Amino acid sequence: MTAQLNPRGDVAVLVPAAGSGTRLGPGAPKALRLLGGEPLLVHALRRVCQAPSVAAVVVAAPPDEVAFVRAMLAPVAPVTVVAGGAHRQASVAAALAAVPAEIPIVLVHDAARALAPPHLVESVAAAVRAGAEAVIPVLPVVDTIKEVGPDEAVRGTVDRTPLRAVQTPQGFRRQVLAAAHAAAVDPLTDDAGLVEKQGVRVTCVPGSDHALKITRPFDLLLAEHLLATE
Ligand code: CTP
Ligand code: MG
């Protein structure tokens, strides 16, 4: 069944999905790889569309696959599909340009975090609505972290107490994200990093184990298990 978005919602979600998935190994672009028989992008979108604040979704697809992705998503949800760029930041910028003018809150959510639950979308959006300019979902770091030299010799042990692993969706006041992208010089792997460079305060909210980024083959196996037990 086609998902319905909320026409009175105040949130647009950008879904960068134009990566190749090099670390996952040879095959189709990562967003089109199957998890439980359906593409990662379809899983991610279904969950985004279940969040009641979402009024619009813009997907950045691999440039050669735009028509295919548009046709694939038409029965899933009413989304806009644009061509992504050479790196993630360019894909986000392309999607941001397609957000309807009246929407004040923009979330950026990797297609690779296919099982991020709808309540995470809502909690990030709620924190922006409550006044934060930029919001990221985070988890504490559980492993001991060492700094290692090029010779693989340990240089020291990092205090992990203040460290956090960062997930998506990341949420922003629309103008804050637009200004950060307009001022961007070097490509970064997350949008909050761009906003930090502008001196904007970035606020953390609790992340979710289910929002893991499917990066390597092991992550796909883990996600298959999570999906079966959802
Ligand atoms: N992404 C994108 N455009 C790019 C590169 C990445 O939209 N040019 C998206 C990916 O599709 C993914 C998200 O950004 O949803 C996070 O990137 P990552 O997990 O690194 O995915 P890939 O770049 O596809 O994987 P890899 O780095 O292993 O090639
Ligand atoms: Mg990548």
Side-chain angles (χ1 to χ4, degrees), residues 23-25 215-222:
R23 289 169 288 178
L24 206 48
T215 306
R216 291 163 297 197
F218 176 79
D219 304 321
L220 203 49
L221 290 176
L222 188 56

Side-chain angles (χ1 to χ4, degrees), residues 78-95:
V79 303
T80 302
V81 181
V82 301
H87 45 75
R88 184 185 179 281
Q89 194 169 300
S91 297
V92 173

